[in-house]
Amino acid sequence: VTSTGRIEVPMLRQLLHTCYIHRYFRVAIWAPFFLACGISIAVQDSGAPFFVVAMLLPPLVALLAASGSRFWVSASKTPLAQILDEHRERLLAISTPNFSVKGLADPRKLYNRNLGSVPRIGRGPERAVPAGTVIDLLRTYRSFLRDRNEYYVDRNIIQPLTAPCQVSYAELAGCSLKESNNFFFVSHYWGSPFWYFVTSLANHANGVDQNGWKTSVSYWICLLCVSQWAIDEELGSGNIMQSSFFLSMHSGMCNGTCMVLDENAWPLTRCWCLFELIQTFNLELENPEGSFCGLILCTALGTLDRHHNRAEASWSKSPAAKKIKKSATVQIHETTGYDLALALVHKLAHVDLGEARASQEKDREMIMQAAAQ
């Protein structure tokens, strides 16, 4: 398994270039050989045919043993696959009513009975996930992720988890934002390490609500809130104004845009992130009274927010924030590196939408047309 998919190695090459055949070669060769020699000495009349059989038998035994070992290993699940199955069952127990794995001897029956009954959540803001859900994802796969980025998370974790039921991760996890709650939209680059991404959001959430931030602060994250099995629909079928991104930002429930940045400021080179930046500025102009707190720059060292007072005012309007103390506002953390701040300012001063890139050229063309309007 790689960061962008899987590599299938032919069986013959597996046998020749892995430990399968070497593991059994010495035992399979020498044991029958000495056995054949002993029998040949005891039976002098056996002649040449017996020695031919004795020489051919060890390689055949080694090949059969290696093949059997190879098929046994391929049939067993990898540690990642085992954790994926356990994690999926845990998520189904939350999202699917009357879910139970007891009494199911065949795991395939589990999928047939429960995966098709995962409650669907409409596209847009209702799929926002609590900060605790994002942290749980990192903790569950920390030993596999290390410094791997969100492209790896998508291909090797999110897609395998959601493939049986063809839904978004937010739906599988049973995340459904209530109408009375607000959320923060997250603009980010998938090429950054996933731990950096999660740490940046955790810092921001802790600044919003120092007590119950894992459940009270929610985020709309494309990696988790967009169904990877209905990409065309999620992107608005060619109309960016009907995309899940646009609908979420303009839902009236969005408190602000959290852009996750490091010293390289990669989101400022991506078309989708710059489109989200434009929408953020438009929403800020449409809400001069402070109902939308604008752009919040999030890093693993802290949060840079030029509107921390407005962020407090916006968040305090939601029922989830009634118990939040005024001292727990989003602010410029003292731990935020000075060099990092200077690097971000330099990048922001040289933003050029014309040089921005997207994974799909058709997405870039759609965004450029929307920006020109």
Side-chain angles (χ1 to χ4, degrees):
V1 178
T2 70
S3 296
T4 56
R6 297 177 178 273
I7 298 177
E8 296 293 340
V9 182
M11 177 181 173
L12 182 59
R13 287 190 176 274
Q14 289 187 36
L15 294 177
L16 294 177
H17 300 290
T18 64
C19 64
Y20 291 117
I21 197 168
H22 302 292
R23 183 185 303 170
Y24 302 99
F25 181 79
R26 285 176 293 183
V27 175
I29 289 291
W30 291 109
F33 178 76
F34 284 117
L35 179 61
C37 290
I39 296 177
S40 64
I41 294 174
V43 184
Q44 297 290 339
D45 299 333
S46 59
F50 183 83
F51 284 99
V52 173
V53 173
M55 295 303 295
L56 293 178
L57 182 62
L60 291 176
V61 172
L63 182 62
L64 290 174
S67 300
S69 175
R70 185 262 182 187
F71 282 112
W72 179 81
V73 171
S74 63
S76 61
K77 292 183 178 180
T78 64
L80 177 58
Q82 294 176 4
I83 293 181
L84 285 169
D85 288 343
E86 294 171 1
H87 189 202
R88 188 186 298 110
E89 291 179 5
R90 189 167 74 249
L91 294 177
L92 284 170
I94 299 174
S95 62
T96 307
N98 303 321
F99 173 82
S100 176
V101 297
K102 295 181 179 180
L104 295 178
D106 187 354
R108 287 174 295 183
K109 294 181 180 180
L110 168 69
Y111 300 142
N112 294 335
R113 294 185 187 182
N114 297 282
L115 292 177
S117 59
V118 174
R120 300 304 305 269
I121 304 173
R123 292 192 302 117
E126 293 184 358
R127 291 185 189 174
V129 298
T133 299
V134 185
I135 293 175
D136 178 69
L137 182 63
L138 174 62
R139 288 177 175 173
T140 302
Y141 301 96
R142 183 184 295 275
S143 60
F144 299 97
L145 291 175
R146 300 178 182 269
D147 287 330
R148 290 186 168 98
N149 57 33
E150 294 175 58
Y151 289 107
Y152 176 90
V153 175
D154 177 49
R155 292 293 186 92
N156 298 281
I157 297 177
I158 301 300
Q159 291 191 29
L161 274 175
T162 59
C165 47
Q166 304 283 294
V167 296
S168 66
Y169 180 85
E171 294 171 287
L172 182 63
C175 300
S176 180
L177 188 72
K178 295 181 180 180
E179 209 172 301
S180 57
N181 291 338
N182 292 354
F183 66 93
F184 290 91
F185 184 92
V186 180
S187 180
H188 57 112
Y189 170 53
W190 282 28
S192 300
F194 189 63
W195 70 263
Y196 185 96
F197 172 77
V198 176
T199 303
S200 300
L201 292 185
N203 285 336
H204 172 262
N206 186 55
V208 174
D209 181 1
Q210 294 179 352
N211 298 319
W213 58 272
K214 289 186 178 181
T215 55
S216 64
V217 185
S218 297
Y219 297 95
W220 197 95
I221 306 168
C222 59
L223 176 68
L224 307 181
C225 302
V226 167
S227 173
Q228 303 301 320
W229 313 105
I231 292 297
D232 186 62
E233 180 184 359
E234 297 284 357
L235 298 182
S237 301
N239 183 1
I240 198 169
M241 303 304 176
Q242 293 299 319
S243 66
S244 299
F245 301 81
F246 188 89
L247 295 176
S248 298
M249 297 190 75
H250 291 265
S251 63
M253 303 165 64
C254 182
N255 274 336
T257 300
C258 293
M259 179 173 282
V260 179
L261 295 170
D262 58 11
E263 63 275 7
N264 295 314
W266 290 115
L268 301 179
T269 66
R270 308 299 294 180
C271 282
W272 273 108
C273 294
L274 293 183
F275 171 77
E276 293 158 1
L277 189 62
I278 293 173
Q279 300 308 312
T280 299
F281 294 150
N282 290 339
L283 286 170
E284 198 170 7
L285 293 174
E286 295 171 3
N287 297 271
E289 299 300 325
S291 59
F292 183 79
C293 65
L295 180 64
I296 307 166
L297 303 181
C298 301
T299 74
L301 296 176
T303 302
L304 297 170
D305 179 16
R306 61 190 177 91
H307 292 312
H308 57 276
N309 291 328
R310 292 175 61 185
E312 178 189 3
S314 173
W315 186 255
S316 63
K317 293 181 179 180
S318 64
K322 289 183 178 180
K323 296 182 180 180
I324 299 177
K325 298 180 181 179
K326 291 185 178 181
S327 59
T329 59
V330 181
Q331 53 190 326
I332 299 178
H333 290 250
E334 295 179 357
T335 55
T336 304
Y338 180 74
D339 293 337
L340 176 59
L342 287 179
L344 294 179
V345 170
H346 178 74
K347 290 287 185 179
L348 285 169
H350 296 84
V351 174
D352 187 353
L353 180 59
E355 296 182 359
R357 295 291 178 263
S359 300
Q360 300 293 332
E361 184 60 26
K362 63 178 182 179
D363 291 350
R364 183 178 183 276
E365 295 175 357
M366 179 175 60
I367 293 170
M368 295 297 289
Q369 291 177 3
Q373 294 178 357

